[in-house]
Structures are given as C-alpha cells and as structure tokens.
C-alpha cells in the first residue's frame, strides 16, 4: 500500500466515517488533469479526523484535531518531490440525510455543503466504522482534541513545538512549505491510503 501512495493511487474519491460517540474521519484524493501536458497531472491527498456535532439548525459541523491533519500534493512538473504539510479545515454541512437507496436497498448518506450544494452520495460499507484511533495522534504542547479554526479556514501549515514525524520545525513555519519526498511518514500515509483507496468508513463513496 505504501508503494501505491508513493506512486499514485488508482482512483479518486472521498470517504467520511462517523461514530455514534461523536468522532469522524475523512480522506480525499483529487486529481487535476493537464490537457496541454498529460504528464503534468496533479494529485492531492488530504486526511483529517476529530469531533462532529449537530447544530440546532440541522447542520453538521466537523471540527478537526488541528495537529493531526495531513496533506500530500504531487505536481511533478513543478516539484521534484511531493509537498507534504500539516492540514486542517473545519467543515460545515448545511444539512444531511440518511436513507435507504431505493435501487439497491443500501444505506446512503447525502451531505450538502455550507451553501446547500450536494456532494456525491456515499454508501455504508462498514458498521461499526473502521477508523484510526480517535485521540490526538501527533500531540504537541498546544494540541487539543477537536480544536479547530473558525469556519471557512483554509489549509494551514502549523508550527511544530518539536520535531514530530521527522519534520523540521522551521520547514513547517506559517509561511513555508516542506518539500519532502513522498517516502515521508510511510506508516501515516498507509492509514490514509487505506481510508481513501478502500473507501473505509461508516459511509463511503
């Protein structure tokens, strides 16, 4: 699996996992074609986890553990190696629906973005969900479970209080990106790859 992550996954998509106790996990894999130069196709993997809660207006709010999220971006025509950074972004879904798909009788989850735009439907694969541990996986002095930035926060490169995962503190300053080989942190991306590629989770597309 780590070879697949290093060389590129075969399918794009996303997976959301939820527990009854209020925890969630999400993985995205996106690819961007380049019609003028096919060998310059870009790819990005994002993974984060944390806590979710249901608001009084029916919306669903996902608050990530800020120090645990990861992003791996591949742009072979711009960088020799993949760009590996910390990542976190709160997600707000205006509404959600859990129902039985009328065609195949499978459990289906419909999520609608903050502006009401529907995501592709997701289907139940595992119950209970198969997730990485729900506590903070890479604690720092300021880490706290479920902590997040305000809604609308974009991807952020976090300062490190120590050298975790072989990353250098200065390289992950707020104004810097770490250009690190995709071989970095294989065990971490093994978990991400399993989540994204296998569609592991309570609900999966």
């Amino acid at each position: 699996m780590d070879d697949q992550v290093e060389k590129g996954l075969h399918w794009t998509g996303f997976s959301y996992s939820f527990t009854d106790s209020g925890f969630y996990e999400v993985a995205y894999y996106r690819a961007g074609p380049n019609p003028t130069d096919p060998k310059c196709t870009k790819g990005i993997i994002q993974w984060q986890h944390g806590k979710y809660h249901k608001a009084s207006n029916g919306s669903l709010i996902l608050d990530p553990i800020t120090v645990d999220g990861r992003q791996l971006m591949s742009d072979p025509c711009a960088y020799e190696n993949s760009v590996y950074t910390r990542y976190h972004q709160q997600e707000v879904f205006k509404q959600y629906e859990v129902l039985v798909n009328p065609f195949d009788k499978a459990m289906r989850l419909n999520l609608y973005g903050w502006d009401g735009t529907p995501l592709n439907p997701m289907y139940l694969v595992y119950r209970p969900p198969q997730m990485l541990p729900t506590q903070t996986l890479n604690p720092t002095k300021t880490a706290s479970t479920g902590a997040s930035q305000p809604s609308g926060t974009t991807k952020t490169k976090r300062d490190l209080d120590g050298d975790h995962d072989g990353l250098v503190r200065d390289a992950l300053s707020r104004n810097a990106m770490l250009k690190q080989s995709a071989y970095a942190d294989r065990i971490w991306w093994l978990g991400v790859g399993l989540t994204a590629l296998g569609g592991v989770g309570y609900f999966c597309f």
Side-chain angles (χ1 to χ4, degrees):
M1 176 57 68
D2 51 355
D3 287 339
Q4 289 177 316
V5 173
E6 290 155 10
K7 297 177 182 178
L9 301 176
H10 297 295
W11 300 281
T12 58
F14 58 89
S15 169
Y16 281 83
S17 305
F18 299 93
T19 70
D20 292 335
S21 54
F23 294 98
Y24 82 96
E25 179 178 290
V26 58
Y28 273 84
Y29 174 42
R30 302 178 178 92
N34 187 332
T36 61
D37 194 348
K39 73 176 183 295
C40 291
T41 299
K42 300 177 183 179
I44 186 169
I45 297 175
Q46 295 170 335
W47 181 93
Q48 55 183 1
H49 70 158
K51 288 186 174 182
Y52 74 91
H53 67 275
K54 304 171 186 177
S56 58
N57 63 359
S59 63
L60 194 64
I61 301 174
L62 279 55
D63 292 313
I65 299 174
T66 57
V67 297
D68 277 355
R70 292 293 188 274
Q71 175 175 281
L72 184 66
M73 182 179 69
S74 174
D75 188 350
C77 293
Y79 304 108
E80 180 179 354
N81 297 315
S82 296
V83 179
Y84 178 72
T85 61
R86 290 193 186 277
Y87 168 88
H88 68 85
Q89 180 174 355
Q90 184 189 65
E91 293 187 86
V92 177
F93 296 105
K94 186 176 182 178
Q95 66 183 86
Y96 67 94
E97 298 171 331
V98 179
L99 47 85
V100 176
N101 192 54
F103 301 104
D104 56 11
K105 307 305 179 183
M107 291 294 296
R108 189 176 85 191
L109 172 66
N110 296 331
L111 291 176
Y112 298 84
W114 62 271
D115 60 352
T117 302
L119 277 67
N120 288 332
M122 291 171 281
Y123 297 90
L124 178 65
V125 174
Y126 292 105
R127 177 178 284 173
Q130 295 188 8
M131 300 165 55
L132 292 176
T134 55
Q135 72 269 19
T136 302
L137 301 177
N138 293 274
T140 63
K141 294 178 182 178
T142 58
S144 61
T145 301
S148 67
Q149 293 291 325
S151 178
T153 299
T154 57
K155 60 184 178 182
T156 305
K157 292 82 186 176
R158 302 283 295 179
D159 291 332
L160 293 180
D161 295 317
D163 292 338
H164 296 277
D165 306 321
L167 306 180
V168 181
R169 180 187 307 163
D170 292 341
L172 283 182
S173 67
R174 300 186 70 86
N175 299 315
M177 295 181 69
L178 175 64
K179 297 177 183 177
Q180 184 177 1
S181 170
Y183 286 85
D185 208 351
R186 290 188 177 188
I187 295 178
W188 180 271
W189 286 110
L190 171 62
V192 175
L194 287 171
T195 305
L197 181 61
V200 174
Y202 190 87
F203 291 97
C204 175
F205 170 69

